[in-house]
Amino acid sequence: MRGTVSAPRRLHLAASTRVLLAMTSVLAVAVLVLGATAYSITVRTLTAQVDSELQAEAHAYSAALRSAPETEAVSDATRAYLQGRAVTGSGRDVVLSVTFDSGHTMSNSDLRLERAPDNAAVRTPIRRQSFSTVTVAGDAYRVLSVPVYAKAGRVATFQAAIAQASFQDAAGSIALTLAAAGLIALAIALPLSYFATRGSLQPLTHMARDAAEISHAQPGRRIDYEGPDDELGSLAESLNAMLARLERSFEDQRQFVADASHELRTPVAVIRGNIELMRSTNIGDADREQALAMISDEACRMTRLLDDLLSLARFERGGARHFQPLSAQTLLEEARARARAAGSVNVDLTAGCDAWIDGDPDLLDQAIANLVRNASEHAGDSGHIRLACNLDGTSVVMSVTDDGPGIAEEDLDRIFDRFYRPPGQPRAGESAGGAGLGLAITRRIIEAHGGTVRAENAQPTGARFVVTLPASSEQMSGGNL
């Protein structure tokens, strides 16, 4: 049996702990970088000072040689100079050494620089001064090597050396001091960061608590935030806006279910009543045919209702749509032809226009057909329906006007609501036997095309539905459509 290897468990930390750890890590890294930088700068500065001191020694030795009598040999002048520069045993003593090309060496110290394995300047004649690090008896020395010239040419190599420990210790002390100060600052900053982090994240904790307490029983409750208008304020505002949209969505869903149930209850009751009537033994053939006709009518009504509900659900779901340039006048002409074919002979296109829109032809045909059907139902057999369109700047305006009874002023804002029927009036976007969804579907189609639709009363009588859609982008750019 093969053993299974379990995945490593991830360490789950609170947000405040993660933020605190991040702040502490950044501060610790900053202290380390500061200490390393200070140490490096200090070493570089002290090294430059030591180099200047060594060069001063070389200049002093050169001046001593130039001031010596011409009859005095270089070796004698060197011996006299070195005797005056004997070391005192302090940490900042400068070790001086002159190695002649003949192999003889003079020094002001017992330290034998010329014997160091890594002191190449005394083994290979040099032509210009150079700095190097030489290790003698386990100690590192900063060494300046300068060639010595006499009248006959090069005669020796002058070297001045200072132990590196003398200034490295000073740099280390500075680094340790900075590190100690950094640790003290870190110890002080840690609790301060903890309280600052908790204070900064406290509004998030309150928002999470408020969001957890919001339920269907309290759909109108919102997240309380009284802080500044910062990122947390934007988050609270976004969450409240989302809650408002969810509340509207839940309310629309409840209203939709209630309205749909109410609309379906009537045809179901009619169908059940007629079925019970047909089961009666003393029903006549005429009554049976009438009951079957009523069942068929109610079944058709339920089918139309379900189709409309499916259309609304499809629009609510949204999704990508593929639009194409369409002639507004052609859409109205086709709507007029279909209305006349259906028996609405009094449909006229009173004003046409050379305007184009981008849209789905089937959906826009459905939207205009709903408006024309609604106008035909309320204009009556002797009424007239007038279709018109015009180009208004960057918008195409199409209208459907009837000469029916018009719409009550208090119903103009609600005429496009789903299942809405004005009290005591047949006008609701469908006939009395309809579901009241035609105008609601029309509004969703027009809004899906980036337009608007509104209802108003015409003069002297009747109702007018005005559709405003963006003109085609190609028409606005002057292209040929």
Side-chain angles (χ1 to χ4, degrees):
M1 180 178 180
R2 293 184 177 180
T4 58
V5 178
S6 59
R9 297 182 59 185
R10 297 182 60 185
L11 183 61
H12 297 283
L13 300 175
S16 58
T17 304
R18 294 198 299 270
V19 173
L20 180 61
L21 289 176
M23 294 175 63
T24 304
S25 300
V26 170
L27 186 57
V29 171
V31 170
L32 290 176
V33 171
L34 177 62
T37 303
Y39 178 80
S40 176
I41 294 176
T42 302
V43 169
R44 189 180 302 113
T45 302
L46 293 178
T47 301
Q49 292 178 356
V50 168
D51 290 347
S52 298
E53 187 175 348
L54 295 177
Q55 285 181 332
E57 292 290 345
H59 292 323
Y61 173 71
S62 177
L65 291 184
R66 287 195 301 270
S67 63
E70 294 183 1
T71 57
E72 186 177 9
V74 174
S75 58
D76 295 334
T78 299
R79 183 180 299 105
Y81 178 78
L82 293 179
Q83 287 177 352
R85 296 286 297 158
V87 298
T88 61
S90 63
R92 292 287 295 176
D93 281 336
V94 180
V95 177
L96 303 178
S97 176
V98 178
T99 302
F100 291 90
D101 293 346
S102 61
H104 178 62
T105 299
M106 296 182 181
S107 177
N108 68 339
S109 171
D110 294 335
L111 191 70
R112 310 303 293 180
L113 285 175
E114 72 280 3
R115 297 182 181 179
D118 50 356
N119 191 357
V122 298
R123 294 176 177 81
T124 302
I126 59 175
R127 298 299 176 183
R128 63 183 63 183
Q129 72 173 16
S130 62
F131 289 95
S132 61
T133 300
V134 175
T135 304
V136 181
D139 296 326
Y141 288 81
R142 180 72 171 172
V143 178
L144 169 64
S145 301
V146 180
V148 179
Y149 291 92
K151 292 181 179 180
R154 176 193 156 86
V155 295
T157 299
F158 172 83
Q159 289 187 317
I162 295 179
Q164 289 186 343
S166 60
F167 58 90
Q168 288 180 342
D169 291 343
S173 299
I174 294 176
L176 289 176
T177 301
L178 290 175
L183 291 177
I184 294 174
L186 188 62
I188 296 175
L190 189 60
L192 294 179
S193 301
Y194 172 75
F195 289 110
T197 301
R198 288 198 58 183
S200 300
L201 297 180
Q202 194 68 25
L204 286 177
T205 304
H206 293 326
M207 283 190 280
R209 182 195 61 200
D210 292 342
E213 292 177 356
I214 296 175
S215 62
H216 290 286
Q218 297 174 313
R221 183 173 175 181
R222 296 293 182 265
I223 294 175
D224 295 328
Y225 179 75
E226 300 178 354
D229 188 15
D230 54 5
E231 292 82 357
L232 294 180
S234 299
L235 176 60
E237 183 178 356
S238 300
L239 290 176
N240 285 331
M242 181 188 68
L243 291 173
R245 291 193 298 270
L246 290 175
E247 181 184 5
R248 289 194 299 270
S249 177
F250 290 147
E251 182 61 29
D252 291 343
Q253 184 181 24
R254 285 193 293 267
Q255 186 65 37
F256 183 81
V257 172
D259 292 340
S261 300
H262 176 75
E263 292 294 330
L264 290 172
R265 186 182 296 113
T266 299
V268 169
V270 172
I271 292 175
R272 290 183 61 184
N274 282 280
I275 291 176
E276 293 296 330
L277 179 63
M278 292 176 61
R279 286 177 177 175
S280 176
T281 56
N282 55 356
I283 186 175
D285 292 339
D287 293 336
R288 186 182 300 276
E289 289 299 326
Q290 184 179 4
L292 287 174
M294 293 183 66
I295 290 175
S296 178
D297 290 342
E298 295 301 324
C300 291
R301 179 183 176 188
M302 293 177 64
T303 300
R304 289 195 301 271
L305 174 61
L306 293 176
D307 289 341
D308 290 343
L309 291 175
L310 181 61
S311 297
L312 277 177
R314 184 167 58 250
F315 286 123
E316 295 292 342
R317 185 172 63 250
R321 305 184 187 279
H322 302 285
F323 292 164
Q324 65 186 53
L326 302 172
S327 170
Q329 182 166 343
T330 301
L331 288 174
L332 295 180
E333 289 176 350
E334 292 177 350
R336 178 183 60 176
R338 282 192 295 268
R340 287 183 173 180
S344 300
V345 294
N346 299 321
V347 181
D348 298 318
L349 180 58
T350 59
C353 62
D354 185 19
W356 292 74
I357 56 179
D358 294 322
D360 186 310
D362 295 332
L363 294 180
L364 290 178
D365 282 340
Q366 180 183 358
I368 297 175
N370 286 344
L371 296 178
V372 173
R373 186 184 307 112
N374 176 74
S376 177
E377 291 169 350
H378 296 91
D381 295 337
S382 60
H384 287 79
I385 300 173
R386 297 181 299 278
L387 308 180
C389 74
N390 66 283
L391 180 62
D392 183 11
T394 60
S395 300
V396 177
V397 180
M398 296 181 286
S399 63
V400 179
T401 307
D402 64 62
D403 55 3
I407 307 172
E409 292 295 330
E410 62 271 15
D411 296 327
L412 288 175
D413 294 335
R414 300 191 59 192
I415 198 70
F416 294 98
D417 292 347
R418 293 177 294 194
F419 301 111
Y420 179 72
R421 289 191 180 94
Q425 299 183 30
R427 181 182 290 275
E430 290 287 353
S431 62
L437 290 174
L439 292 182
I441 293 175
T442 297
R443 181 177 64 178
R444 293 297 295 119
I445 292 176
I446 299 303
E447 289 177 348
H449 286 75
T452 60
V453 58
R454 71 178 190 276
E456 60 187 25
N457 284 312
Q459 297 298 329
T461 182
R464 179 182 295 110
F465 290 85
V466 181
V467 174
T468 304
L469 290 168
S472 174
S473 57
E474 295 187 22
Q475 185 175 36
M476 289 298 96
S477 62
N480 295 323
L481 296 171

